[in-house]
Amino acid sequence: MSDHFGSCLCGTVSFQVKGEFESFYLCHCRHCQKDTGSAYAANLFSHFAKLVWQSGADAVASFTLPGTRHSRSFCKFCGSALPNAPVAGLVVVPAGCLDSQLTMLPTAHIFSSSKAVWDERLVEVPKFEGLPT
């Protein structure tokens, strides 16, 4: 069994996920685009892993979009995405909040019919190691 560690941007919240992830989806639905402010959400899923809040559990807020299954948790102070347990027996972890290395490749792109138009040609965009000067 593997342990994964993560935290929010301001460091108030830290957590441990005990167990393996079963899937890693890049979701392009409109809810995830609005939720992340980006082209997609990168989330890890597990029906067996256990989420343990190590610090700042009282700083974790959650939101579920009414009438949907779209749910997210975040730090009340910095707004960083954090793990969520939207239904019993399921842990969803935003990949970007992990501090430990993740070697798992995404399982699939989902809701690709909602993909942002500008996402189609990202391979053509220049790359920089840091902030361009």
Side-chain angles (χ1 to χ4, degrees):
M1 174 155 63
S2 291
D3 288 349
H4 305 275
F5 298 90
S7 60
C8 67
L9 183 61
C10 71
T12 300
V13 180
S14 63
F15 63 90
Q16 178 180 12
V17 177
K18 297 181 176 189
E20 295 295 332
F21 298 112
E22 295 147 42
S23 54
F24 180 7
Y25 292 116
L26 304 179
C27 182
H28 296 268
C29 79
R30 294 294 296 152
H31 298 321
C32 284
Q33 288 177 36
K34 290 279 187 183
D35 193 353
T36 64
S38 189
Y40 56 84
N43 288 312
L44 299 144
F45 294 80
S46 180
H47 288 92
F48 305 106
K50 300 295 178 217
L51 173 62
V52 179
W53 297 109
Q54 294 183 313
S55 66
D58 56 336
V60 178
S62 295
F63 170 77
T64 300
L65 185 62
T68 73
R69 297 184 326 180
H70 185 83
S71 179
R72 73 180 298 259
S73 292
F74 53 94
C75 174
K76 292 179 187 179
F77 299 108
C78 67
S80 294
L82 291 168
N84 190 359
V87 294
L90 177 65
V91 174
V92 180
V93 179
C97 70
L98 289 178
D99 296 325
S100 50
Q101 288 291 332
L102 181 67
T103 58
M104 180 179 193
L105 288 177
T107 307
H109 289 269
I110 59 175
F111 292 95
S112 59
S113 62
S114 302
K115 195 177 222 184
V117 174
W118 54 267
D119 187 33
E120 295 294 330
R121 298 178 50 203
L122 289 180
V123 70
E124 301 171 29
V125 177
K127 295 178 179 136
F128 299 93
E129 292 288 322
L131 190 61
T133 55

